[in-house]
Amino acid sequence: MFAALPLLALPVLAYNLAAVTLPGGFGSQEAAIRMSEPMFDVAMSTGVRWPVTLGDLLLLAGLIVLFIEMLKSTTSRRTAIVNHALSLLLFIGCLVEFLLAPAFATSTFFLLGVMVLLDVLAGFIVTIVSARRDIDFGPGDP
């Protein structure tokens, strides 16, 4: 049952938790500030310090999870179809949050939403293509 849950819900949930802890909650406009505050620095070989932000970490997690979701979408089991439907619901939720809640009007959340949309589109396309290959045509059929 857990295989059907879209993993991209995890970075979206993490963003929601970060946004709800802001003063003013989802109505706060300080989410962009929180997402761009450096959490730690990484020393590069050139001597420059690379500041890593919460938004960077959420996007990294989203990209890793998107890769896993792409691998999961290649199966044509019933759980994959449920996963695609739940991913579509997740995208609709992300779209509503992005359009209606000020705390979600950030580039970080927009890119997370695009990742969810790509998961939905890729999942449906991969399922359709693999379903077309599973159909057997008789002799003489195209």
Side-chain angles (χ1 to χ4, degrees), residues 34-55:
R34 176 171 285 178
M35 292 296 146
S36 62
E37 288 177 346
M39 295 180 66
F40 57 90
D41 290 337
V42 176
M44 304 301 289
S45 62
T46 59
V48 177
R49 307 288 300 174
W50 171 39
V52 179
T53 65
L54 177 61

Side-chain angles (χ1 to χ4, degrees), residues 70-91:
M70 293 296 163
L71 294 177
K72 281 176 38 178
S73 70
T74 59
T75 63
S76 59
R77 295 179 295 177
R78 181 172 292 160
T79 57
I81 295 169
V82 173
N83 180 292
H84 302 328
L86 292 175
S87 293
L88 181 62
L89 290 176
L90 178 63
F91 173 69

Side-chain angles (χ1 to χ4, degrees), residues 8 12 87 90-91 94 112-121:
L8 276 168
V12 171
S87 293
L90 178 63
F91 173 69
C94 287
L112 284 174
V114 169
M115 287 180 206
V116 174
L117 176 63
L118 289 175
D119 175 37
V120 171
L121 293 176

Side-chain angles (χ1 to χ4, degrees), residues 7-8 10-12 14 54-68 112 115:
L7 295 177
L8 276 168
L10 297 174
V12 171
L54 177 61
D56 296 336
L57 293 176
L58 286 175
L59 291 176
L60 175 65
L63 286 171
I64 292 169
V65 170
L66 180 62
F67 175 72
I68 295 169
L112 284 174
M115 287 180 206

